[in-house]
């Protein structure tokens, strides 16, 4: 590694990877790559009730799919492991002991009900809800009695009544009053470490230099700084980026539509497009450029360019970018990526001629917004899926259209040779014989050939379909329209 910049992405496996978290991962990854530093993946799974190993698997898969490769992590190890918090419990116990020995921590025997009651009373009195320190000054005898009654203690940190100040690399100077915060739990009564405690120990032991995460963690940072100071650990630099918001400016959630990386993946978004979009969101690149490769994003990445105010998630913009990535992808690359989507739409790619299918993709790729649309888009190239749409049927019943189709179809019956030449000659012949031109000439041909009124360029379709298929379709139309 080129320098000592060490950053981490530390998801809790309590759900599918949300695009907001993916953006946090991306920021950390871009920072590490820009600095020539190290990108760590750490799994924060100490909240057993909310952690699920299936989510852990999908998190890793989604990050890999996005191309955000980590240098140290639970699956590949590294010099600072283990990288799953559930495997670091001895370290937390050791550190709890240090704080206990320094008299900076005390056991708290309050029950959930008692704490809830305190919260309610404070809220009613219009005071900030927080723990008022009931167990802070219990005597030894009182503690023994509570323990003997079967109560399991949690451990609370004695919050110093000082002001916590720090400089955030995105938001500038920040200030939190210790007085406003109650003594917080660092180890829960089930023995598991609380988030703020575990994260400080891990970030310190893993030599994390920069903590880059969402602004929803700002107040946690104040608590974490208290712990850094209590341990005498050097603090990392902090950068809190804005959150992704829906159009209504509320935090992006399920009610806004798709929010997980997995959903976008299933809908046929390309990882490059999603990464590009998330990189663009809430920051801007030189010259207003919008389509950037990973390397360009890494080169241009700077925390100082990240915006402080929330970034609105614009799915239309993401779709636009996705369409551009599909359009610019090589047909061979698309061919490989489209395979599961073709299967999902009922095609059997292994039964199709690969060269022919690539020719089809070449023609339709400019019209795809997502990979999942491929089934509908290529249907017109399959005789067994050919059907006249209602609009196409309507259009073909007009006398002028019938004549064009009749003349064009007759020409095809006699034609021989190269399909490209035949198409051009058939159009010329239909134009001369029927007198139709422009839309009046091309729309009936399109309607008969494809069953639809819109689609890719007709000459390209004709060449890929070939003469036999074109003949069959015109014959079918003649039958349907009782020529
Ligand atoms: N597990 C925490 C979360 O997913 C990590 C926050 C942090 O980066 O410190 O929100």
């Amino acid at each position: 590694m080129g320098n000592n910049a060490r950053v981490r992405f530390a998801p809790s496996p309590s759900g599918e990877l949300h695009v907001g978290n993916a953006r946090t991962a991306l920021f950390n990854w871009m920072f590490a790559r820009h600095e020539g530093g190290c990108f760590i993946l750490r799994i924060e799974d100490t909240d057993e009730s909310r952690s699920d190993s299936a989510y852990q698997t999908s998190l890793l898969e989604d990050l890999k799919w996005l191309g955000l490769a980590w240098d140290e992590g639970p699956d590949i190890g590294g010099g600072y492991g283990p990288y799953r918090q559930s495997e670091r419990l001895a370290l937390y116990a050791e550190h709890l002991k240090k704080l206990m020995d320094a008299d900076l921590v005390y056991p708290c025997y309050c029950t959930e009900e008692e704490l809830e009651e305190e919260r309610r009373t404070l809220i009613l009195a219009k005071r900030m809800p927080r723990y008022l320190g009931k167990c802070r000054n219990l005597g030894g005898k009182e503690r023994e009695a509570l323990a003997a009654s079967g109560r399991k203690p949690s451990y609370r940190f004695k919050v110093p009544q000082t002001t916590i100040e720090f400089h955030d690399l995105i938001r500038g100077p920040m200030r939190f009053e210790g007085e406003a915060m109650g003594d917080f739990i660092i180890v829960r009564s089930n023995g598991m470490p609380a988030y703020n405690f575990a994260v400080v120990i891990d970030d310190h032991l893993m030599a994390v230099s920069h903590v880059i995460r969402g602004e929803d963690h700002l107040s946690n940072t104040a608590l974490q700084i208290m712990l850094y100071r209590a341990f005498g650990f050097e603090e990392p630099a902090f950068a809190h980026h804005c959150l992704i918001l829906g159009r209504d400016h509320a935090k992006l959630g399920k009610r806004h539509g798709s929010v997980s990386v997995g959903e976008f993946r299933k809908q046929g978004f390309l990882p490059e497009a999603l990464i590009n979009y998330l990189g663009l969101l809430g920051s801007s690149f030189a010259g207003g450029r919008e389509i950037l490769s990973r390397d360009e994003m890494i080169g241009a990445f700077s925390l100082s360019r990240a915006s402080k105010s929330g970034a609105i998630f614009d799915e239309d913009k993401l779709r636009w970018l996705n369409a551009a990535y599909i359009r610019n992808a090589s047909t061979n690359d698309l061919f490989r990526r489209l395979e599961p989507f073709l299967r999902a739409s009922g095609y059997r790619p292994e039964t199709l001629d690969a060269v022919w299918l690539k020719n089809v993709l070449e023609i339709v790729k400019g019209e795809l917004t997502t990979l999942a649309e491929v089934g509908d888009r290529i249907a017109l190239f399959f005789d067994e899926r050919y059907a006249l749409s209602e609009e196409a049927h309507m259009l073909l019943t007009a006398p002028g259209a019938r004549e064009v189709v009749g003349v064009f179809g007759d020409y095809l019956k006699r034609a021989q040779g190269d399909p490209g030449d035949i198409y051009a000659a058939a159009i010329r012949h239909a134009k001369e014989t029927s007198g139709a031109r422009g839309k009046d000439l091309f729309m009936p041909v399109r309607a008969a050939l494809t069953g639809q009124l819109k689609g890719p360029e007709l000459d390209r379709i004709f060449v890929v379909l070939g003469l036999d298929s074109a003949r069959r379709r015109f014959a079918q139309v003649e039958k349907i329209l009782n020529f």
Side-chain angles (χ1 to χ4, degrees):
M1 289 293 145
N3 77 9
N4 293 331
R6 290 177 57 81
V7 292
R8 84 303 191 273
F9 175 54
S12 309
S14 56
E16 295 285 338
L17 181 64
H18 184 282
V19 286
N21 283 336
R23 180 159 157 269
T24 304
L26 173 63
F27 277 28
N28 278 282
W29 180 83
M30 287 198 288
F31 183 83
R33 296 293 171 258
H34 183 92
E35 297 289 324
C38 177
F39 176 53
I40 305 164
L41 174 65
R42 181 173 75 222
I43 301 292
E44 306 213 321
D45 57 349
T46 53
D47 187 347
E48 288 163 319
S49 61
R50 296 180 55 220
S51 298
D52 186 328
S53 63
Y55 288 135
Q56 215 179 110
T57 310
S58 72
L59 269 172
L60 267 65
E61 268 172 14
D62 286 345
L63 288 172
K64 279 186 192 152
W65 179 74
L66 287 169
L68 303 180
W70 48 95
D71 308 306
E72 295 174 21
D75 54 338
I76 53 172
Y80 298 78
Y83 292 91
R84 256 182 221 101
Q85 288 190 327
S86 57
E87 294 166 16
R88 300 173 63 81
L89 299 181
L91 290 167
Y92 309 131
E94 199 182 293
H95 283 79
L96 172 65
K97 184 160 179 330
K98 281 190 191 165
L99 294 186
M100 293 279 280
D101 292 347
D103 194 25
L104 293 170
V105 165
Y106 61 88
C108 166
Y109 296 90
C110 294
T111 60
E112 285 294 330
E113 295 71 35
E114 286 163 353
L115 294 171
E116 187 49 39
E117 183 57 37
E118 178 175 83
R119 250 178 70 80
R120 242 187 327 220
T121 315
L122 286 170
I123 290 171
L124 274 178
K126 299 208 166 23
R127 291 176 64 196
M128 175 91 95
R130 63 187 189 282
Y131 184 64
L132 293 179
K134 186 168 161 204
C135 293
R136 189 169 184 157
N137 298 313
L138 292 179
K141 288 255 170 325
E142 290 165 294
R143 284 187 184 151
E144 273 167 35
L146 284 161
S149 73
R151 291 196 187 194
K152 287 247 177 299
S154 57
Y155 289 86
R156 287 185 185 269
F157 177 68
K158 293 183 180 173
V159 167
Q161 300 300 293
T162 51
T163 304
I164 297 291
E165 286 179 286
F166 65 96
H167 185 85
D168 188 282
L169 293 178
I170 295 175
R171 325 186 81 79
M174 306 299 304
R175 189 187 159 96
F176 291 86
E177 302 300 337
E179 282 168 33
M181 299 172 215
D183 295 342
F184 57 92
I185 293 181
I186 57 170
V187 173
R188 290 192 287 265
S189 57
N190 63 3
M192 293 304 251
Y195 158 70
N196 282 310
F197 184 59
V199 94
V200 166
I201 295 163
D202 291 347
D203 285 342
H204 171 71
L205 294 180
M206 293 182 179
V208 167
S209 60
H210 295 73
V211 169
I212 304 169
R213 60 189 170 203
E215 63 177 323
D216 48 340
H217 284 292
L218 262 175
S219 58
N220 283 327
T221 299
L223 306 182
Q224 291 171 23
I225 287 176
M226 291 177 191
L227 292 173
Y228 276 100
R229 296 186 183 164
F231 281 120
F233 294 161
E234 193 189 331
E235 290 156 34
F238 290 100
H240 292 86
H241 60 71
C242 63
L243 300 182
I244 305 184
L245 309 177
R247 283 184 203 280
D248 56 358
H249 292 248
K251 191 175 160 190
L252 188 71
K254 286 213 173 71
R255 67 198 165 84
H256 292 110
S258 302
V259 290
S260 75
V261 170
E263 282 170 287
F264 286 111
R265 173 187 190 165
K266 284 187 205 102
Q267 287 168 27
F269 284 83
L270 301 189
E272 296 91 325
L274 192 53
I275 283 287
N276 189 152
Y277 180 66
L278 294 175
L280 212 57
L281 202 58
S283 60
S284 55
F285 292 103
R289 286 188 57 201
E290 306 212 289
I291 299 190
L292 282 97
S293 70
R294 274 168 210 269
D295 285 343
E296 286 171 323
M297 289 208 306
I298 291 168
F301 184 74
S302 144
L303 285 173
S304 58
R305 211 181 355 242
S307 98
K308 285 184 224 164
S309 49
I312 309 281
F313 192 77
D314 178 353
E315 195 169 320
D316 293 338
K317 181 88 174 258
L318 170 60
R319 287 182 175 279
W320 173 81
L321 266 173
N322 202 51
Y325 272 90
I326 293 178
R327 199 165 54 240
N328 297 333
S330 77
T331 300
N332 276 332
D333 180 27
L334 271 186
F335 180 69
R336 194 172 43 76
R337 300 195 203 210
L338 282 168
E339 142 91 63
F341 294 94
L342 288 170
R343 266 181 215 293
S345 317
Y347 294 91
R348 289 173 48 221
E350 72 281 3
T351 63
L352 302 171
D353 179 70
V355 174
W356 179 82
L357 186 54
K358 283 180 192 173
N359 285 337
V360 169
L361 296 180
E362 187 67 40
I363 296 176
V364 300
K365 74 179 184 186
E367 301 187 339
L368 295 178
T369 305
T370 65
L371 299 181
E373 292 164 1
V374 70
D376 286 347
R377 292 293 177 190
I378 67 169
L380 70 91
F381 292 94
F382 291 78
D383 286 350
E384 66 275 20
R385 293 190 186 224
Y386 171 85
L388 275 188
S389 71
E390 219 169 291
E391 307 94 74
H393 195 280
M394 281 266 286
L395 182 125
L396 289 173
T397 49
R402 286 175 72 107
E403 192 188 350
V404 168
V405 169
V407 177
F408 196 99
D410 279 347
Y411 188 91
L412 292 187
K413 282 176 202 156
R414 294 177 272 117
Q416 262 176 8
D418 173 73
D421 295 339
I422 295 174
Y423 173 78
I427 283 285
R428 236 181 355 256
H429 174 73
K431 184 174 177 182
E432 278 159 16
T433 318
S434 70
R437 52 193 60 230
K439 268 175 77 169
D440 294 339
L441 171 64
F442 287 100
M443 287 308 272
V445 175
R446 176 178 291 283
L449 194 63
T450 69
Q452 292 157 21
L453 299 188
K454 277 197 214 103
E457 288 149 63
L458 269 181
D459 50 348
R460 300 181 74 191
I461 297 176
F462 191 94
V463 169
V464 170
L465 279 177
L467 187 56
D468 286 347
S469 169
R471 277 186 183 142
R472 278 196 294 275
R473 292 176 182 207
F474 273 83
Q476 202 169 327
V477 169
E478 287 179 10
K479 218 153 87 203
I480 294 169
L481 299 180
N482 289 321
F483 273 33

